[in-house]
Amino acid sequence: MEELLKGNLIIIGGAEDKKGEKNILKEVCSKIDKEKDELVIATIATDLPKEVGAEYRSIFEKLGVKNINILDVQDRKDAHEIHNINMVQRASLVFFTGGDQLKITSLLGGTPLYNVIHESYENGCVYVGTSAGASVVSDTMIITGDDEESPKKCTLKMAPGLGLMKNVVIDQHFAQRGRIGRLLVAIAENPESLGIGIDEDTAIVVNTKGEFRVQGSGAVYVIDGSTISFTNVSEQNPDEILSMFDIKMHVLKNGDKFILNTRQPIKEEKQK
């Protein structure tokens, strides 16, 4: 990763704890002044925006956030509405819910709201995404691919994401849905990118120095394709099993860190 990130990100692998300790959602709330700042819940990815918006509003209210708005874009014309544009401009934190990541990019791409999202991020707004909202943060995102299958050469559909985080491909619900194969295919096709697989109830908290810390009950898997010496990936014989040599993988747990610019993991610092 050549450049430092513009702003802060929290990327959640989905199914974060909403009823117990809520540690990840507490971390989200800690990034803003709960009395003064505005938190926006973006329900763009989901087909149940009212229900999902109400659920997260209730959680964030119980965690002490006073100013909460719902950004509901279900049509491209909604991404031109001045009310929605102003909402994002005022926000200190924007939280993308789960659903369908392609819905986010297809509704926002090329619109004034898309431009404002990038402007607010560069001006320090914290962006948070869970599940589909996690995948969309990267510049290239996985749309569909085989779960719990051996990696095959050309079984993956990918598309441009929002591009808030460069040179990474993020996958979510990682261990729970057996997605190692599809992330390996993604990195075989895009070896310059880091593959980051995030388990459920697990997040990476990314800062402007280009470092992230793992938080949550699961693991984060980082796949580095820069060392690949051979791969058979191509459009010929797409159902053939993928072959790939000399790929590097790190598995990180709660408290471990990773430096994106140097592609170096750092183990959890024990409290003395």
Side-chain angles (χ1 to χ4, degrees), residues 165-185:
M165 195 173 180
K166 307 292 186 188
N167 301 329
V168 297
V169 178
I170 294 166
D171 211 353
Q172 15 80 11
H173 301 283
F174 199 69
Q176 290 75 15
R177 298 186 187 178
R179 287 181 164 174
I180 182 70
R182 76 182 206 172
L183 191 56
L184 285 168
V185 174

Side-chain angles (χ1 to χ4, degrees), residues 21-74:
E21 291 295 311
K22 307 184 188 73
N23 287 328
I24 291 173
L25 295 175
K26 284 177 181 174
E27 175 78 19
V28 171
C29 295
S30 75
K31 297 294 181 184
I32 61 172
D33 183 325
K34 292 188 278 190
E35 293 289 330
K36 298 176 183 175
D37 289 344
E38 293 193 23
L39 183 153
V40 169
I41 301 164
T43 56
I44 306 164
T46 179
D47 289 329
L48 300 167
K50 286 188 170 57
E51 293 87 340
V52 171
E55 179 185 29
Y56 277 109
R57 180 193 285 276
S58 174
I59 292 167
F60 288 130
E61 283 177 346
K62 287 174 183 172
L63 290 174
V65 181
K66 296 289 190 283
N67 303 303
I68 301 170
N69 291 303
I70 310 287
L71 178 65
D72 181 26
V73 175
Q74 298 297 315

Side-chain angles (χ1 to χ4, degrees), residues 225-239:
S226 64
T227 56
I228 293 172
S229 61
F230 166 79
T231 173
N232 67 343
V233 71
S234 72
E235 290 189 12
Q236 293 180 321
N237 308 315
D239 289 332

Side-chain angles (χ1 to χ4, degrees), residues 177-215:
R177 298 186 187 178
R179 287 181 164 174
I180 182 70
R182 76 182 206 172
L183 191 56
L184 285 168
V185 174
I187 295 310
E189 293 180 5
N190 302 273
E192 76 286 356
S193 296
L194 274 177
I196 303 177
I198 308 175
D199 284 349
E200 293 179 355
D201 190 40
T202 308
I204 61 171
V205 181
V206 192
N207 65 26
T208 53
K209 297 176 185 175
E211 302 169 351
F212 72 70
R213 169 177 53 82
V214 176
Q215 179 164 349

Side-chain angles (χ1 to χ4, degrees), residues 152-170:
K152 293 180 181 176
K153 280 167 46 173
C154 217
T155 53
L156 202 63
K157 287 186 180 177
M158 303 185 76
L162 290 178
L164 302 180
M165 195 173 180
K166 307 292 186 188
N167 301 329
V168 297
V169 178
I170 294 166

